[in-house]
Amino acid sequence: MLADVSLDALPRHYDAFGLLFGVRNYAGFEPVAPGRGLPENASADLLGLQLADSDHGHTWVAWTQLACIDWRARAPRVDDRIHEYKLTSEGPLFNGKAGHHGRAWRAVAGEHADPRGSSYPEGTEWRAAGRMWRVERLSHGDVLRTDPQLRALLDTMRDLAEQNGDDNVRLVVWFDS
């Protein structure tokens, strides 16, 4: 049985790509299903798709593997992206993460500071102008907390597995960048 679940609603969530498939793995996760290519027993519908020349990283993951993920486990190293917070009276408010943080971060970290979080010990912080930049290590669960669409996709896969058997549900993906 082939169930076509639209992934159009899924954002470009690099932490999920890194955890599941090892693509854009800035968080340093040990990927669950990297670089497998298309499944040997892929459906004719899948094999008949016209993929673009720029498509790459074809891989797949079975529900049985997704169901075994320890969502409390942490990445083996800190995130390459330094996490940025706005400092509020209620405490730090997450603002985002990136490899480069502009002038405000450079003013406090130093003009020649390395913008990769993995260059610093976990917990390293810089504070200036009502903001904080922090070097952090992600857990697998952080991926789900920041991506409700991924959680919905996994819920759909779990429901399909309950109907069709755990070994009969898989997610096939490829990337276009």
mmCIF file of all heavy atoms in Angstrom, residues 85-88 90-94 127 132:
data_model
loop_
_atom_site.group_PDB
_atom_site.id
_atom_site.type_symbol
_atom_site.label_atom_id
_atom_site.label_comp_id
_atom_site.label_asym_id
_atom_site.label_seq_id
_atom_site.Cartn_x
_atom_site.Cartn_y
_atom_site.Cartn_z
ATOM 1 N N TYR A 85 19.261 34.766 22.058
ATOM 2 C CA TYR A 85 18.103 35.028 22.906
ATOM 3 C C TYR A 85 17.956 36.527 23.127
ATOM 4 O O TYR A 85 18.945 37.245 23.222
ATOM 5 C CB TYR A 85 18.276 34.364 24.279
ATOM 6 C CG TYR A 85 18.316 32.870 24.218
ATOM 7 C CD1 TYR A 85 19.504 32.194 23.945
ATOM 8 C CD2 TYR A 85 17.171 32.119 24.430
ATOM 9 C CE1 TYR A 85 19.544 30.817 23.884
ATOM 10 C CE2 TYR A 85 17.208 30.733 24.367
ATOM 11 C CZ TYR A 85 18.396 30.097 24.102
ATOM 12 O OH TYR A 85 18.433 28.737 24.035
ATOM 13 N N LYS A 86 16.727 36.973 23.229
ATOM 14 C CA LYS A 86 16.434 38.334 23.672
ATOM 15 C C LYS A 86 16.271 38.247 25.183
ATOM 16 O O LYS A 86 15.554 37.376 25.688
ATOM 17 C CB LYS A 86 15.148 38.841 23.019
ATOM 18 C CG LYS A 86 14.785 40.238 23.424
ATOM 19 C CD LYS A 86 13.507 40.697 22.729
ATOM 20 C CE LYS A 86 13.168 42.108 23.187
ATOM 21 N NZ LYS A 86 11.906 42.569 22.617
ATOM 22 N N LEU A 87 16.923 39.130 25.919
ATOM 23 C CA LEU A 87 16.814 39.126 27.372
ATOM 24 C C LEU A 87 15.605 39.961 27.771
ATOM 25 O O LEU A 87 15.508 41.138 27.435
ATOM 26 C CB LEU A 87 18.097 39.676 27.994
ATOM 27 C CG LEU A 87 19.348 38.844 27.703
ATOM 28 C CD1 LEU A 87 20.599 39.519 28.245
ATOM 29 C CD2 LEU A 87 19.207 37.438 28.268
ATOM 30 N N THR A 88 14.655 39.316 28.454
ATOM 31 C CA THR A 88 13.428 39.986 28.874
ATOM 32 C C THR A 88 13.311 39.895 30.391
ATOM 33 O O THR A 88 14.050 39.130 31.038
ATOM 34 C CB THR A 88 12.191 39.335 28.232
ATOM 35 O OG1 THR A 88 11.996 38.036 28.813
ATOM 36 C CG2 THR A 88 12.339 39.208 26.719
ATOM 37 N N GLU A 90 11.076 38.415 31.936
ATOM 38 C CA GLU A 90 10.634 37.050 32.255
ATOM 39 C C GLU A 90 11.738 36.025 32.038
ATOM 40 O O GLU A 90 11.551 34.850 32.303
ATOM 41 C CB GLU A 90 9.423 36.662 31.393
ATOM 42 C CG GLU A 90 8.144 37.395 31.740
ATOM 43 C CD GLU A 90 8.065 38.755 31.068
ATOM 44 O OE1 GLU A 90 8.538 38.896 29.922
ATOM 45 O OE2 GLU A 90 7.569 39.692 31.707
ATOM 46 N N GLY A 91 12.854 36.450 31.489
ATOM 47 C CA GLY A 91 13.970 35.550 31.215
ATOM 48 C C GLY A 91 14.307 35.560 29.738
ATOM 49 O O GLY A 91 13.677 36.274 28.943
ATOM 50 N N PRO A 92 15.314 34.767 29.347
ATOM 51 C CA PRO A 92 15.716 34.740 27.934
ATOM 52 C C PRO A 92 14.599 34.209 27.038
ATOM 53 O O PRO A 92 13.944 33.231 27.373
ATOM 54 C CB PRO A 92 16.916 33.793 27.920
ATOM 55 C CG PRO A 92 17.373 33.695 29.330
ATOM 56 C CD PRO A 92 16.164 33.931 30.184
ATOM 57 N N LEU A 93 14.389 34.862 25.899
ATOM 58 C CA LEU A 93 13.398 34.455 24.909
ATOM 59 C C LEU A 93 14.144 34.077 23.638
ATOM 60 O O LEU A 93 14.833 34.914 23.046
ATOM 61 C CB LEU A 93 12.420 35.606 24.643
ATOM 62 C CG LEU A 93 11.336 35.370 23.596
ATOM 63 C CD1 LEU A 93 10.387 34.269 24.060
ATOM 64 C CD2 LEU A 93 10.566 36.657 23.348
ATOM 65 N N PHE A 94 14.031 32.810 23.228
ATOM 66 C CA PHE A 94 14.755 32.317 22.057
ATOM 67 C C PHE A 94 14.409 33.148 20.829
ATOM 68 O O PHE A 94 13.245 33.386 20.542
ATOM 69 C CB PHE A 94 14.422 30.842 21.812
ATOM 70 C CG PHE A 94 15.149 30.239 20.647
ATOM 71 C CD1 PHE A 94 16.507 29.976 20.723
ATOM 72 C CD2 PHE A 94 14.485 29.932 19.478
ATOM 73 C CE1 PHE A 94 17.187 29.413 19.650
ATOM 74 C CE2 PHE A 94 15.146 29.374 18.402
ATOM 75 C CZ PHE A 94 16.500 29.114 18.486
ATOM 76 N N ARG A 127 26.920 38.446 26.138
ATOM 77 C CA ARG A 127 25.750 39.285 26.385
ATOM 78 C C ARG A 127 26.055 40.726 25.997
ATOM 79 O O ARG A 127 27.121 41.240 26.313
ATOM 80 C CB ARG A 127 25.339 39.247 27.858
ATOM 81 C CG ARG A 127 24.818 37.898 28.294
ATOM 82 C CD ARG A 127 24.580 37.875 29.805
ATOM 83 N NE ARG A 127 24.124 36.570 30.219
ATOM 84 C CZ ARG A 127 22.932 36.330 30.720
ATOM 85 N NH1 ARG A 127 22.069 37.317 30.899
ATOM 86 N NH2 ARG A 127 22.583 35.111 31.078
ATOM 87 N N MET A 132 21.527 37.747 24.324
ATOM 88 C CA MET A 132 22.493 36.755 24.779
ATOM 89 C C MET A 132 22.698 35.753 23.647
ATOM 90 O O MET A 132 21.739 35.330 23.006
ATOM 91 C CB MET A 132 21.967 36.019 26.016
ATOM 92 C CG MET A 132 22.856 34.853 26.455
ATOM 93 S SD MET A 132 22.264 34.003 27.933
ATOM 94 C CE MET A 132 20.786 33.191 27.325
#
